[in-house]
Amino acid sequence: MRWLPMSELFSFSKKKKIGVALGSGGAKGMAHLGILQAMWENGIDADIYAGTSAGSIVGAMCARGYSPADIVELLKRLQYGSTALATVLSGSLESALPLLDDALGGVDIGELSKPFCAVATDSADGSEVLLKEGNAARAVLASSSIPPMFKGIRIGERLLVDGAFSNAIPADAARALGADVVIGVALSPALSYEEVEFVCSSGETRTIRQKGFLQADLLLEPDLSAFRTTDILYASQIYDAGYDCAMSHMQQILHLCGRTAAQRNRG
């Protein structure tokens, strides 16, 4: 009989920590829910979430304990009309804070059920800001405040804006949180983020070269070319596009996560 060293035995038994990096994209963020639902149905529930803009909203809610189906139902039940109108008229996402904070249970990021971080951009110089503490809802809104449509969100001494300028698909952030395997989701072609022009609050224009998405073990890019970031009326079609994309890559996802078809059923 061959005796295996303890290190080799441990490598067999250790469960991989699965991280997802959910990219920016406004209304196209519904595709995240379709992708996560497909993974959920195949027995894969991520351990770690990192998100930018729309991806940060989905990521925070999943880290809080909502399933993808829960989030879809929540979006159907809640009356967002008046909040959306107030937000657009004010030019700030601050008016959406009570609604999102209530959905997240008023918790800080450290109180979420799973590790999470939101990515924002410092308006002063275009640098990336990883939000891993403080009020979860406020962090998510800072990550989603795309100028000039919305004013930045102040956290501490910094005025933060949409994280898409500095790290649109934060696979590196998910890995830094401890993920062994990272599945990234790009709602726009990832290569479009290789070089991004950002106008700092001083008026200076900076070219930001993004590399976060290169840390993904698998980058899912659902075909959302027919949709815009404002196409909220096409939520179901966008969701389906995400679901179909994940299902078409499911064998690869299962392999990366150390699962087999026989292990799909939950429980």
Side-chain angles (χ1 to χ4, degrees):
M1 178 182 294
R2 174 176 174 259
W3 295 95
L4 296 176
M6 289 300 295
S7 60
E8 194 169 342
L9 283 171
F10 181 72
S11 69
F12 284 138
S13 61
K14 181 183 177 183
K15 181 182 177 182
K16 293 180 179 179
K17 289 186 177 180
I18 302 165
V20 291
L22 304 175
S24 62
K28 292 190 287 186
M30 282 298 295
H32 289 318
L33 294 172
I35 286 171
L36 294 171
Q37 179 63 27
M39 291 171 59
W40 181 274
E41 290 175 6
N42 283 273
I44 299 173
D45 185 12
D47 303 293
I48 291 167
Y49 294 88
T52 298
S53 199
S56 73
I57 298 173
V58 174
M61 296 189 77
C62 287
R64 178 72 175 114
Y66 290 100
S67 71
D70 289 337
I71 300 172
V72 171
E73 287 304 312
L74 182 66
L75 292 175
K76 288 179 180 178
R77 291 198 310 268
L78 291 178
Q79 298 298 315
Y80 282 99
S82 59
T83 298
L85 179 61
T87 298
V88 171
L89 291 176
S90 68
S92 171
L93 291 179
E94 288 276 4
S95 59
L97 182 60
L99 184 64
L100 184 58
D101 195 44
D102 181 64
L104 289 172
V107 300
D108 283 356
I109 291 175
E111 298 174 296
L112 294 170
S113 301
K114 295 181 179 180
F116 166 77
C117 77
V119 177
T121 303
D122 192 325
S123 64
D125 57 12
S127 60
E128 177 185 6
V129 179
L130 297 180
L131 298 170
K132 297 184 284 188
E133 58 184 21
N135 178 262
R138 192 165 190 82
V140 163
L141 293 180
S143 178
S144 306
S145 293
I146 184 167
M149 183 179 296
F150 299 119
K151 303 171 186 175
I153 298 289
R154 188 165 296 280
I155 295 182
E157 297 181 355
R158 294 182 292 198
L159 186 65
L160 304 181
V161 295
D162 198 295
F165 294 107
S166 56
N167 194 352
I169 309 158
D172 53 345
R175 199 171 295 283
L177 286 174
D180 300 308
V181 173
V182 179
I183 297 170
V185 182
L187 302 180
S188 297
L191 292 179
S192 67
Y193 294 111
E194 279 193 309
E195 290 190 357
V196 178
E197 297 296 316
F198 180 75
V199 180
C200 303
S201 55
S202 64
E204 176 191 0
T205 298
R206 290 192 56 194
T207 298
I208 301 174
R209 293 175 174 83
Q210 298 189 19
K211 298 181 180 180
F213 64 90
L214 297 176
Q215 290 289 317
D217 295 289
L218 174 64
L219 189 59
L220 299 176
E221 298 186 86
D223 182 6
L224 301 173
S225 57
F227 307 104
R228 297 171 296 178
T229 58
T230 55
D231 281 341
I232 58 175
L233 296 180
Y234 296 96
S236 61
Q237 293 95 319
I238 293 170
Y239 175 97
D240 289 343
Y243 184 90
D244 292 342
C245 176
M247 291 301 293
S248 69
H249 290 83
M250 192 52 63
Q251 289 303 318
Q252 190 176 1
I253 294 171
L254 290 168
H255 176 73
L256 282 170
C257 297
R259 310 290 174 81
T260 65
Q263 294 174 304
R264 287 182 180 184
N265 292 334
R266 307 187 62 80

